[in-house]
Amino acid sequence: MYKILVTFVLGMFCFSGKARQLNTEVSDTFRVYGNCGMCEKKIEAAATSVKGVKSADWDRESNVLILMFDEHLTNSLDVQKAIAKAGYDTEMVKGDDKAYDKLPGCCKYERKE
Ligand SMILES: [Cu+2]
């Protein structure tokens, strides 16, 4: 009886491991500070330039970015670092100051302290 139980439990582990390997695409949402349609293009381009990112959709009104990515290839923090390099503050990473200075006037969003 004990052996049957052990086999069953091990089988469950194998099964859940396989299921996880098949579906590695996950989503995350976080804020990215910006103003206009040009910001949207740059933010989304910076996000999708990261290997493993499937899609990035930034909403101008709410400043929320919806990210879909392969968790085996990248993670939310790395994507936020790439966006920060383009001059935009994200929830976890402060935007690069030099890149921010180079943004066109319409894109100079108000920065949090
Ligand atoms: Cu802009």
Side-chain angles (χ1 to χ4, degrees):
M1 185 60 207
Y2 177 75
K3 258 187 186 167
I4 293 168
L5 194 70
V6 167
T7 311
F8 179 73
V9 170
L10 282 177
M12 286 297 282
F13 271 116
C14 289
F15 181 75
S16 61
K18 264 200 185 125
R20 228 177 290 135
Q21 260 175 12
L22 285 173
N23 188 13
T24 60
E25 200 172 311
V26 293
S27 70
D28 190 31
T29 57
F30 51 82
R31 271 169 181 273
V32 181
Y33 298 87
N35 283 336
C36 64
M38 221 164 30
C39 299
E40 182 174 359
K41 276 192 191 133
K42 280 183 278 183
I43 290 165
E44 290 172 356
T48 50
S49 74
V50 178
K51 200 183 168 219
V53 172
K54 307 273 177 196
S55 70
D57 186 26
W58 183 71
D59 184 71
R60 211 192 300 177
E61 298 293 317
S62 62
N63 283 0
V64 170
L65 182 93
I66 302 167
L67 188 71
M68 298 285 296
F69 61 95
D70 186 331
E71 63 178 348
H72 285 273
L73 296 175
T74 188
N75 57 67
S76 179
L77 183 63
D78 280 351
V79 176
Q80 293 190 46
K81 281 180 189 161
I83 294 168
K85 228 185 240 175
Y88 292 94
D89 290 343
T90 76
E91 224 166 274
M92 283 159 79
V93 187
K94 190 175 177 286
D96 183 79
D97 290 327
K98 276 183 195 153
Y100 176 83
D101 286 341
K102 280 184 195 151
L103 293 178
C106 67
C107 293
K108 287 222 160 53
Y109 57 94
E110 221 173 286
R111 297 190 101 174
K112 51 180 181 176
E113 287 310 306

